[in-house]
Amino acid sequence: MLHDYALELYSHAIMTATHSLPASTSRAGLLPRSARGIDPAGGPRRIRVGIIGATGYVGAELIRILARHPDVELVGLAGRGRDHEPIAGIHPHLAGTGLTVHSELPPSDAVFLALPHGAAAALVPDLIAAGTAIIDQGPDFRLTDPADYPRWYGFEHPRPDLLELAVYGLPEFHRAELSALVDAEVAIVGAPGCYPTATLLALAPLARAGLIGDLVVDAKSGVSGAGREAKPELHFGEVNESVKAYGLGGHRHVAEIEQELATITAREGLDPGVNPGIIAVDFLPHLIPMTRGILSACHVRPTRPVSQSELDELYAATYADEPFVTVVSTPPATKQVTGSNQVLVHVRRDERTDRILAIGVEDNLVKGAAGQAVQAFNLVHGLPETAGLDQLPLVP
């Protein structure tokens, strides 16, 4: 959780944003989100967006994507301890945006929060009081049960009442709930974690069919997933030419994976016990010497005999109309999605062991973080889901 000084700085940014709202935007007179940013003269729609936590890797990706979004006006960036600092001094590759990072945030229709664990939950109440839509990149609104926060994240959730209003921001399985926030009084999106995104998209068709008898997830992430803060174990000399397992005994993302697999199962009208493998997921992440990318390899012992053709049909039916998920016939590589909001999914039945191998790959900073958050933002504001996310992968 943020130390008191940092929390005070972020609180100042929030208070400035909410208390400086003009009188015409009192809560009773707030425009519905479907009408925010519309030009009465017929010009392009421009929704006012702010980012708190703009100095990290996820903050940088949010700026990169939103600066080119056709319906967004980036009105403010806030960073801890920053005061009128050009973004070029923090993220040189974003110099062309001409943006500046401040300690205060101007009034915004939507705010993306890229903050440490526990920070967003304390700040969100003031933002939603001003009618601001929240897209939280951290874990503070991902879990539905308040009791899970002390266990998995080490803090008591300060606003469990808001958890009931938050929507898990995986559009492929929560599209209707995200779209329903367009004209809702409160809009809070808990953006999924990077590991859960690749894992859930790889496994969802199996959960829908009640096929997960036993589950082991072996996942690998590039170093950017650990954030931008300097840590001895992330120095080049420590990471290069080395692979390390971590999070043994229960990585915090297990909570999301189990929660959402149970939700997917329930939505199919299935008894929770039909997928016994989702009750206690065996999840082991690894840090590997690359910058971006996640590969999640899911080893499933099926609950019944299943053929490759049935698996192919399940996955094709699930993702036929998804703009950012593609089912591929050969095992995918992370490099095939670098810089894009795409996820590649592969499924294969091993005839010798009778296990199912489901693989998902993504760019952890795009579909695993900033890109997926923008995808949810689009739905919350009634925009085309793909707006601002049309960039192709970068190879080599």
Side-chain angles (χ1 to χ4, degrees):
M1 194 162 180
L2 277 180
H3 55 75
D4 292 341
Y5 174 66
L7 187 56
E8 181 180 351
L9 286 173
Y10 283 126
S11 296
H12 177 65
I14 296 295
M15 295 299 286
T16 303
T18 56
H19 289 181
S20 60
L21 285 169
S24 62
T25 59
S26 64
R27 189 160 185 80
L30 285 171
L31 287 172
R33 276 174 205 91
S34 57
R36 304 273 180 98
I38 293 180
D39 183 356
R45 186 178 179 187
R46 306 295 283 174
I47 300 167
R48 300 170 304 166
V49 171
I51 301 171
I52 299 180
T55 58
Y57 287 141
V58 174
E61 281 296 273
L62 284 169
I63 297 168
R64 183 177 73 90
I65 295 170
L66 291 170
R68 297 180 61 252
H69 194 295
D71 301 295
V72 164
E73 179 187 1
L74 267 177
V75 296
L77 309 177
R80 184 169 50 196
R82 309 287 178 167
D83 189 22
H84 303 284
E85 292 190 31
I87 195 67
I90 304 165
H91 300 301
H93 67 293
L94 298 175
T97 66
L99 295 169
T100 303
V101 183
H102 302 269
S103 59
E104 301 176 354
L105 197 66
S108 306
D109 297 311
V111 169
F112 289 80
L113 303 176
L115 299 173
H117 303 162
L123 305 181
V124 162
D126 282 330
L127 282 168
I128 61 173
T132 304
I134 303 300
I135 316 292
D136 181 25
Q137 301 275 186
D140 293 20
F141 294 95
R142 292 173 182 165
L143 305 180
T144 57
D145 187 350
D148 283 337
Y149 281 91
R151 176 185 177 188
W152 295 102
Y153 287 99
F155 69 91
E156 295 284 344
H157 202 286
R159 291 298 301 268
D161 56 314
L162 294 181
L163 291 179
E164 300 176 3
L165 302 176
V167 175
Y168 189 72
L170 187 61
E172 287 75 13
F173 301 108
H174 292 274
R175 185 169 284 113
E177 298 100 305
L178 291 167
S179 296
L181 295 178
V182 170
D183 293 324
E185 184 175 354
V186 173
I188 302 174
V189 176
C194 50
Y195 277 126
T197 296
T199 302
L200 291 168
L201 290 171
L203 289 170
L206 302 179
R208 293 176 65 184
L211 282 170
I212 304 179
D214 182 68
L215 173 60
V216 175
V217 179
D218 181 276
K220 298 169 180 65
S221 174
V223 182
S224 62
R228 200 181 187 196
E229 183 180 349
K231 301 172 185 175
E233 66 272 21
L234 298 180
H235 288 173
F236 179 81
E238 301 293 332
V239 175
N240 186 44
E241 299 183 8
S242 179
V243 176
K244 181 177 71 173
Y246 64 100
L248 281 71
H251 188 277
R252 56 181 176 260
H253 282 163
V254 168
E256 275 177 73
I257 294 168
E258 292 178 351
Q259 170 185 285
E260 291 304 304
L261 288 175
T263 298
I264 291 167
T265 302
R267 287 185 175 179
E268 293 298 311
L270 302 175
D271 185 272
V274 75
N275 284 312
I278 71 174
I279 296 171
V281 174
D282 194 349
F283 176 79
L284 182 62
H286 300 76
L287 184 69
I288 64 175
M290 69 179 186
T291 302
R292 292 173 179 252
I294 279 181
L295 186 150
S296 184
C298 308
H299 303 262
V300 178
R301 179 76 70 182
T303 54
R304 59 174 175 79
V306 60
S307 66
Q308 183 63 48
S309 61
E310 182 181 353
L311 293 175
D312 292 340
E313 291 173 4
L314 283 172
Y315 278 72
T318 299
Y319 296 123
D321 299 319
E322 290 298 336
F324 296 115
V325 183
T326 302
V327 182
V328 294
S329 59
T330 57
T334 58
K335 196 66 175 177
Q336 294 172 255
V337 295
T338 299
S340 78
N341 201 52
Q342 296 291 329
V343 174
L344 301 182
V345 173
H346 172 76
V347 64
R348 184 63 48 192
R349 172 180 172 265
D350 188 320
E351 295 184 3
R352 185 180 67 86
T353 64
D354 202 31
R355 287 191 180 94
I356 299 169
L357 175 61
I359 299 173
V361 299
E362 69 183 16
D363 184 321
N364 57 291
L365 293 179
V366 188
K367 181 57 174 173
Q372 178 150 260
V374 172
Q375 192 180 346
F377 161 86
N378 288 339
L379 291 168
V380 169
H381 290 85
L383 299 170
E385 187 173 337
T386 59
L389 296 169
D390 56 354
Q391 58 266 38
L392 296 172
L394 179 64
V395 176

